[in-house]
């Protein structure tokens, strides 16, 4: 074992945290339960140990927003493990990381080139930062209804049209494990002195295996945010921000990060980042090898089930022209339309009848994630359940699966302007041609169908209705039957030309 590996065996913050709890201090600080002495059903029904380890930021345990000792040491170890120059621990998820990236790298009216299949958090980041989105509409797989990658040609086209663009924002990978040619896109962007920001929420394991797609830092990106909890074993809501190079002002990152995060960060989340980093740095290659073998076993056997199709490596060649450069095979995309059932139905049936929770149920598919804690026994239970569903649904009537030829709407005003505009509430049947004030999405995965500032079209209304009718989870500010739109009688667009977007 070399010196670097020996360093990665350490967990500075976790060790200091455990020692603090073991010292059994008398507590006159927050939280109010005083390490579990105030008994509630949380400790009765789960464990009193949970509250015993719930401490805030006691003297000697370092400060997340001005780290000097244990947290700083742990962040330095993480920056090395993830091949970055600087690491920031996050307790408000990659949502907080994305908001931080936008507010630290972009100012109001700065242009950012980005794919339209972004997460809701990116829309919120646009609203808060005032940045101007230059959207690239991804090609949609008409069979599965999933957005593909972004081609270098489409990036180059947008750069040529917008030579004053300040940044490019990319997804590595998409919710379904698809990646673009990130290294070449970064090379192109940097040749134009454009910052590259990356949403790597689902790619925290990439850096630990050459059998997975390339990580953002290894591809040369300037800043990224990773959900360590999603596939590297930390607690839910714990993430990190990584930076490298001289295009990023770390003072600005720290300033935005401090502004957007809780002043009472959960120490258990920080401990989990420390612990997960250690395991992945030391055993990540072995863990991912096991994950890929298990995923391969699952795919081989899923293909044997009547009515089931799965995405595999061949999907790259099939969809290469759509920007698909690589795929994370620890994500298993399962097309269930051959069962004559919608993905929503299979998702719910697996949970209610077979006690199996999968990541996602969509119109045509379900999504399975294989991670560090996955086992062959769990995969076998899934195979048995889907085999049973296949046998019991052979007589089902053929269902109507739409061909996804959805084209994203035109952005007429910046999201930040539309968000603050005076609005009216109209029936969803009467909103076509209006300008949306709200974000509308199917969740998961949280990719917006509509964002503030976009003109509502018949296609979007039809898609929203389809999701609702078929049991999908549609998230929006107003109820299912209504939409919030700009009240043009109170706010005339023609009087505010500076806020228009000309794409």
């Amino acid at each position: 074992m070399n010196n670097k590996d020996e360093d990665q065996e350490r967990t500075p913050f976790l060790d200091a945290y455990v020692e603090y709890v073991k010292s059994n201090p008398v507590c006159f600080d927050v939280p109010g339960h005083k390490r579990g002495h105030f008994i509630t059903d949380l400790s009765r029904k789960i464990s009193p140990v949970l509250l015993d380890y719930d401490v805030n930021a006691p003297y000697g345990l370092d400060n997340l927003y001005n780290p000097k000792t244990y947290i700083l040491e742990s962040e330095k170890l993480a920056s090395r493990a993830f091949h970055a120059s600087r690491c920031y621990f996050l307790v408000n998820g990659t949502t907080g990381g994305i908001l931080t990236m936008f507010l630290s790298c972009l100012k109001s009216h700065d242009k950012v080139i980005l794919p339209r299949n972004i997460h809701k958090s990116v829309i919120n980041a646009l609203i808060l930062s005032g940045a101007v989105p230059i959207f690239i509409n991804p090609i949609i797989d008409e069979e599965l209804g999933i957005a593909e990658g972004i081609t270098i040609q489409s990036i180059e086209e947008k750069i040529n049209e917008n030579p004053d663009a300040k940044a490019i924002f990319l997804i590595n990978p998409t919710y379904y494990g698809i990646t673009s040619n990130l290294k070449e896109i970064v090379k192109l962007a940097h040749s134009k002195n454009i910052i590259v920001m990356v949403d790597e929420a689902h790619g925290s394991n990439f850096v630990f295996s050459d059998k997975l797609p390339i990580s953002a830092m290894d591809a040369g990106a300037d800043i990224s945010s990773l959900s360590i909890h999603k596939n590297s074993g930390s607690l839910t809501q714990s993430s990190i921000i990584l930076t490298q190079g001289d295009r990023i002002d770390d003072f600005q990152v720290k300033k935005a990060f401090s502004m957007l995060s809780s002043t009472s960060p959960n120490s258990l989340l920080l401990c989990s980042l420390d612990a997960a980093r250690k395991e992945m740095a030391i055993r990540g290659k072995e863990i991912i090898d096991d994950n890929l073998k298990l995923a391969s076993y699952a795919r081989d056997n899923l293909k044997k089930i009547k009515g089931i199709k799965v995405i595999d490596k061949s999907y790259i060649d099939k969809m290469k022209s759509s920007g698909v450069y690589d795929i994370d095979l620890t994500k298993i995309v399962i097309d269930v339309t051959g069962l004559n059932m919608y993905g929503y139905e299979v998702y719910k049936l697996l949970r209610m009848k077979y006690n199996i929770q999968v990541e996602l149920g969509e119109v045509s598919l379900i999504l399975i994630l294989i991670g560090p804690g996955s086992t062959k026994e769990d995969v076998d239970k899934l195979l048995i359940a889907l085999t049973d569903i296949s046998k019991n649904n052979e007589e089902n009537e053929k269902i109507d699966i739409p061909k996804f030829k959805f084209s994203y709407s035109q952005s007429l005003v910046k999201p930040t302007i539309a968000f603050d505009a005076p609005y009216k509430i109209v029936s969803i049947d009467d909103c076509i041609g209006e300008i949306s004030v709200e974000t509308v999405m199917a969740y998961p995965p949280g990719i917006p169908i509509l964002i503030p500032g976009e003109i509502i079209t018949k296609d979007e209304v039809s898609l929203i209705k389809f999701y609702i009718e078929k049991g999908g989870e549609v998230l929006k500010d107003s109820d299912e039957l209504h939409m919030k739109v700009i009240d043009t009688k109170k706010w005339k667009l023609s009087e505010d030309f500076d806020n228009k977007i000309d794409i």
Side-chain angles (χ1 to χ4, degrees):
M1 180 179 291
N2 58 36
N3 290 333
K4 183 176 179 180
D5 287 337
E6 288 173 358
D7 285 343
Q8 293 297 336
E9 292 274 8
R10 300 171 56 236
T11 50
F13 183 74
L14 174 60
D15 293 346
Y17 179 79
V18 171
E19 283 303 311
Y20 173 82
V21 173
K22 284 182 177 179
S23 72
N24 196 27
V26 176
C27 297
F28 289 105
D29 60 347
V30 295
H33 60 70
K34 309 303 180 186
R35 293 185 52 231
H37 291 293
F38 177 60
I39 306 297
T40 68
D41 276 359
L42 185 63
S43 52
R44 293 187 190 104
K45 294 182 177 182
I46 299 180
S47 171
V49 175
L50 180 68
L51 294 183
D52 191 24
Y53 278 82
D54 180 36
V55 301
N56 186 23
Y59 174 74
L61 270 189
D62 212 0
N63 187 293
L64 180 61
Y65 307 111
N66 187 29
K68 296 177 180 178
T69 56
Y70 305 115
I71 292 176
L72 181 60
E73 289 181 64
S74 295
E75 288 181 336
K76 285 182 176 179
L77 286 169
S79 67
R80 285 166 51 187
F82 289 94
H83 300 176
S85 299
R86 182 75 170 88
C87 173
Y88 300 83
F89 283 0
L90 299 174
V91 294
N92 56 342
T94 293
T95 290
I98 287 170
L99 296 177
T100 298
M101 285 196 286
F102 271 72
L103 266 67
S104 61
C105 296
L106 297 166
K107 294 180 174 61
S108 183
H109 301 298
D110 280 347
K111 290 182 180 180
V112 54
I113 299 169
L114 68 172
R116 180 54 181 76
N117 57 313
I118 45 177
H119 188 265
K120 179 186 179 182
S121 59
V122 183
I123 304 302
N124 293 337
L126 288 167
I127 291 169
L128 289 176
S129 67
V132 179
I134 307 298
F135 285 122
I136 297 174
N137 290 338
I139 296 173
I140 305 295
D141 183 324
E142 294 183 7
E143 299 297 325
L144 295 176
I146 63 177
E148 305 297 1
I150 298 297
T151 64
I152 296 173
Q153 291 75 19
S154 64
I155 292 280
E156 190 167 23
E157 180 181 319
K158 290 298 181 183
I159 291 175
N160 290 337
E161 292 173 359
N162 301 274
D164 56 342
K166 180 74 177 294
I168 291 173
F169 180 87
L170 299 166
I171 308 166
N172 190 60
T174 69
Y175 198 65
Y176 304 99
I178 294 167
T179 67
S180 305
N181 191 344
L182 186 57
K183 193 168 185 177
E184 289 302 312
I185 293 173
V186 169
K187 184 178 177 182
L188 171 64
H190 286 175
S191 73
K192 305 292 185 179
N193 200 30
I194 294 174
I195 294 169
V196 178
M197 309 185 294
V198 181
D199 172 359
E200 208 160 28
H202 291 270
S204 68
N205 54 347
F206 285 4
V207 73
F208 301 110
S209 174
D210 58 7
K211 296 177 182 177
L212 295 178
I214 192 170
S215 72
M217 290 294 105
D218 285 344
D222 302 291
I223 186 168
S224 65
S225 187
L226 294 72
S227 296
I228 306 303
H229 67 92
K230 283 187 167 65
N231 46 21
S232 293
S234 66
L235 291 177
T236 297
Q237 204 172 305
S238 57
S239 295
I240 60 175
I241 292 174
L242 301 174
T243 70
Q244 66 180 354
D246 57 7
R247 292 179 180 83
I248 299 299
D249 184 340
D250 278 297
F251 172 77
Q252 291 295 110
V253 175
K254 186 175 180 180
K255 185 171 71 172
F257 161 64
S258 300
M259 180 178 72
L260 295 164
S261 301
S262 170
T263 55
S264 300
N266 189 306
S267 294
L268 280 170
L269 299 182
L270 301 178
C271 285
S272 76
L273 286 170
D274 210 9
R277 181 271 311 154
K278 171 187 172 180
E279 293 305 315
M280 294 303 289
I282 300 301
R283 301 194 300 117
K285 184 179 183 303
E286 172 191 343
I287 290 168
I288 293 166
D289 281 349
D290 289 343
N291 289 167
L292 289 168
K293 287 175 185 175
L294 186 58
S296 179
Y297 167 78
R299 280 188 177 83
D300 289 344
N301 285 279
L302 284 165
K303 291 175 183 178
K304 299 174 184 177
I305 301 173
K306 185 177 180 181
I308 293 287
K309 296 179 183 177
V310 293
I311 284 181
D312 55 25
K313 204 77 170 178
S314 65
Y315 194 76
I316 297 174
D317 294 330
K318 177 185 175 184
M319 305 301 293
K320 187 169 288 186
S321 62
S322 302
V324 177
Y325 182 75
D326 204 351
I327 293 178
D328 175 5
L329 291 178
T330 65
K331 294 176 179 287
I332 305 178
V333 180
I334 306 174
D335 181 353
V336 297
T337 53
L339 301 175
N340 292 321
M341 296 177 70
Y342 292 107
Y344 306 125
E345 297 174 292
V346 177
Y347 173 89
K348 294 173 183 176
L349 186 60
L350 284 170
R351 176 66 184 91
M352 300 309 295
K353 184 176 179 180
Y354 301 96
N355 198 26
I356 295 173
Q357 181 64 57
V358 300
E359 174 67 13
L360 165 74
E362 253 282 4
V363 176
S364 301
L365 56 86
I366 59 174
L367 178 64
I368 307 299
L369 305 185
I370 301 295
S374 299
T375 67
K376 182 177 180 296
E377 289 75 18
D378 289 342
V379 170
D380 286 338
K381 289 177 183 177
L382 175 68
L383 294 170
I384 290 169
L386 288 174
T387 299
D388 190 48
I389 292 172
S390 176
K391 289 178 180 177
N392 291 332
N393 289 279
E394 289 180 347
E395 304 302 320
N396 280 8
E397 290 186 17
K398 190 173 180 63
I399 57 173
D400 178 28
I401 299 294
K403 292 287 184 182
F404 291 88
K405 296 183 178 180
F406 181 75
S407 58
Y408 292 106
S409 177
Q410 177 190 3
S411 290
L412 194 61
V413 297
K414 289 198 303 182
T416 189
I417 300 301
F419 181 80
D420 288 330
Y423 67 87
K424 60 184 178 181
I425 298 176
V426 300
S427 164
I428 196 168
D429 293 313
D430 298 325
C431 69
I432 296 172
E434 302 281 1
I435 303 171
S436 179
V437 170
E438 60 184 314
T439 301
V440 183
M441 74 191 78
Y443 189 87
I447 297 169
I449 298 169
L450 274 167
I451 68 172
E454 287 186 337
I455 299 172
I456 304 169
T457 68
K458 182 179 179 181
D459 280 346
E460 277 121 9
V461 171
S462 297
L463 192 58
I464 293 167
K465 284 184 168 183
F466 181 86
Y467 275 113
I468 293 171
E469 178 187 340
K470 302 305 179 184
E473 186 75 21
V474 176
L475 301 185
K476 55 203 295 288
D477 298 330
S478 52
D479 62 50
E480 290 184 347
L481 300 178
H482 295 85
M483 284 287 298
K484 285 183 180 179
V485 301
I486 289 180
D487 188 340
T488 53
K489 290 183 179 179
K490 295 181 180 178
W491 183 73
K492 294 187 181 299
L493 180 64
S494 59
E495 295 175 358
D496 203 358
F497 288 109
D498 286 343
N499 293 315
K500 288 183 69 176
I501 294 178
D502 185 15
I503 301 178

